Structure formats: structure tokens, C-alpha cells
Amino acid sequence: MQSSKVKVGAAWGKGKEELLKQIGEFKTELSQLRVQKIAGGATSKLNKIHDIRKSIAKVMTVIKAKQRGQLRNFYKGKKYLPLDLRPKQTRAQRRALTKEEKAIVLPKVAKRLKAFPPRKFAVRAV
């Protein structure tokens, strides 16, 4: 068995198969520790259970992040993105006009601006 704590920086360099193998090892160690706990093990085992659970979570997070990165590369430049890869934002922000849509001046508005340009006022110093 390996040490119970995982260094996340080292996990980023590993491949998916290696990470899954590591998770398998952690899960077997976790099940053994749980059996020892029931059998009346020391309190240090409880701390080790905690560390191993957190290590599993860290490795799973690395796997998921890598997967999401690959999906982002796959969908880069495509018209639509899956919902979970889109920016979260608020409902109002998602429905707001984009910068390009805001910049568009419709013909009717352009005519009105030409006919009635905004007035310019001179401010006199007192």
C-alpha cells in the first residue's frame, strides 16, 4: 500500500488508467481499515480512514478535471456547448444581449438619430 495522503500535483502528471488503479488501491485499503475499525482498531485508524477518503476524492477530482478539459478542447469552435461546460452566471446574465447584439443599430433608430441628433450644450464657467 502507498502512503495514505496524495499529492495532487503528482496526480496531474499521471494517466487515467494509473489514477483509476490508484483509486482501486485506496478503496481496498479503505475497506480493510473499516473492517479493522469494527474489530476494535486504534483511533489512529479512524484518522487514516479520513485521509484515504480525502485522497480518493482528490484523485477523482483530477480525473474529472482532465475529462472536462478534453471535452472543452473537443467542443472548442463548435456552435453549441454542453450545458455543464457553459458559464454558470445568473439567469438574467445568460439571457442578456451579447456585446455584438448591443452594438447593432437598427435602421429605424439610425434614421431617428440622423434626423434628431443628440443636443450639445456648452457649460459656462461662473
Side-chain angles (χ1 to χ4, degrees), residues 37-110:
K37 175 188 162 191
I38 292 170
T43 56
S44 62
K45 300 291 183 196
L46 293 174
N47 294 336
K48 195 158 183 175
I49 287 174
H50 176 266
D51 291 344
I52 289 182
R53 285 181 59 237
K54 298 305 170 190
S55 297
I56 291 171
K58 286 175 187 174
V59 174
M60 293 287 280
T61 303
V62 169
I63 290 172
K64 191 75 170 172
K66 281 184 170 187
Q67 217 171 27
R68 286 174 66 84
Q70 289 172 345
L71 280 172
R72 282 193 192 282
N73 288 338
F74 177 76
Y75 283 103
K76 185 168 271 182
K78 299 239 167 64
K79 188 173 181 182
Y80 296 111
L81 264 179
L83 292 176
D84 60 334
L85 294 181
R86 294 179 194 173
K88 177 74 173 122
Q89 300 175 324
T90 62
R91 191 165 190 260
Q93 286 174 330
R94 289 193 303 267
R95 282 157 179 72
L97 295 175
T98 62
K99 290 179 183 176
E100 293 81 21
E101 291 169 339
K102 283 181 187 174
I104 294 172
V105 179
L106 297 175
K108 188 174 180 179
V109 176

